Amino acid sequence: MRGTTLLIAFVALFIALVGCAPSEPNAVDEQPTTARLMDPLLNTASEVFWDSAGFIDTYEGTTDLTPTTAEGWQKVLEAADEIDALSAMLKQERYSLNRAAWNVLADNLIAASESGRQAALARDGAALFQAGADLYQVCVACHQTFWSNNRFTSDGD
């Protein structure tokens, strides 16, 4: 009987501890650091564009990355929605520090995601490739301007 009571106490303690464990931040509900917002959240959504457009040439032949199914195009639409939501977060004062250049880049992310959305709706692989290139250029410009010593200059993380 004592062993059963002890086992129940350990199980209850385990459940209580697991229930109190920190969860992963949600891009919409919580305020992740700038670095966490960028990677993995924004980076993961951007990679959907980059992995869904263009071609890979190898000795074995050429692989077209353009989606061929409704599900593939739906992933692009969902990535565009995620990029829009994350870009809106980036425009919050916590991230932007009211810097005009930061907000322009966030708006450019939104414009690139809208181009990707329109390409997905039209099932246009070439337009999706261009949207991915535009998105990449915004990322590069942001990193060149605001990335220093392996961290973003907006919140010191």
Side-chain angles (χ1 to χ4, degrees), residues 92-116:
Q92 295 173 3
E93 184 180 359
R94 175 197 188 323
Y95 302 107
S96 73
L97 303 178
N98 293 319
R99 294 175 292 188
W102 180 275
N103 288 327
V104 166
L105 289 167
D107 286 336
N108 290 345
L109 284 173
I110 293 169
S113 72
E114 180 58 27
S115 295

Side-chain angles (χ1 to χ4, degrees), residues 23-136:
S23 62
E24 290 294 314
N26 179 312
V28 176
D29 298 332
E30 297 180 24
Q31 295 292 313
T33 64
T34 305
R36 176 106 175 102
L37 192 146
M38 296 292 180
D39 189 23
L41 301 175
L42 186 58
N43 189 53
T44 299
S46 299
E47 284 179 355
V48 173
F49 278 33
W50 300 328
D51 291 345
S52 301
F55 300 88
I56 297 175
D57 289 320
T58 66
Y59 290 114
E60 288 79 33
T62 299
T63 302
D64 185 348
L65 299 176
T66 305
T68 58
T69 64
E71 293 81 19
W73 289 110
Q74 183 61 36
K75 286 182 182 179
V76 174
L77 292 171
E78 291 167 3
D81 290 343
E82 182 73 2
I83 292 167
D84 285 349
L86 294 168
S87 299
M89 285 182 72
L90 286 171
K91 292 174 69 173
Q92 295 173 3
E93 184 180 359
R94 175 197 188 323
Y95 302 107
S96 73
L97 303 178
N98 293 319
R99 294 175 292 188
W102 180 275
N103 288 327
V104 166
L105 289 167
D107 286 336
N108 290 345
L109 284 173
I110 293 169
S113 72
E114 180 58 27
S115 295
R117 177 181 289 103
Q118 293 306 314
L121 291 172
R123 306 286 201 265
D124 185 340
L128 181 57
F129 184 84
Q130 184 60 55
D134 294 343
L135 183 64
Y136 181 78

Side-chain angles (χ1 to χ4, degrees), residues 10-24:
F10 281 127
V11 169
L13 179 62
F14 175 77
I15 291 171
L17 291 174
V18 170
C20 295
S23 62
E24 290 294 314

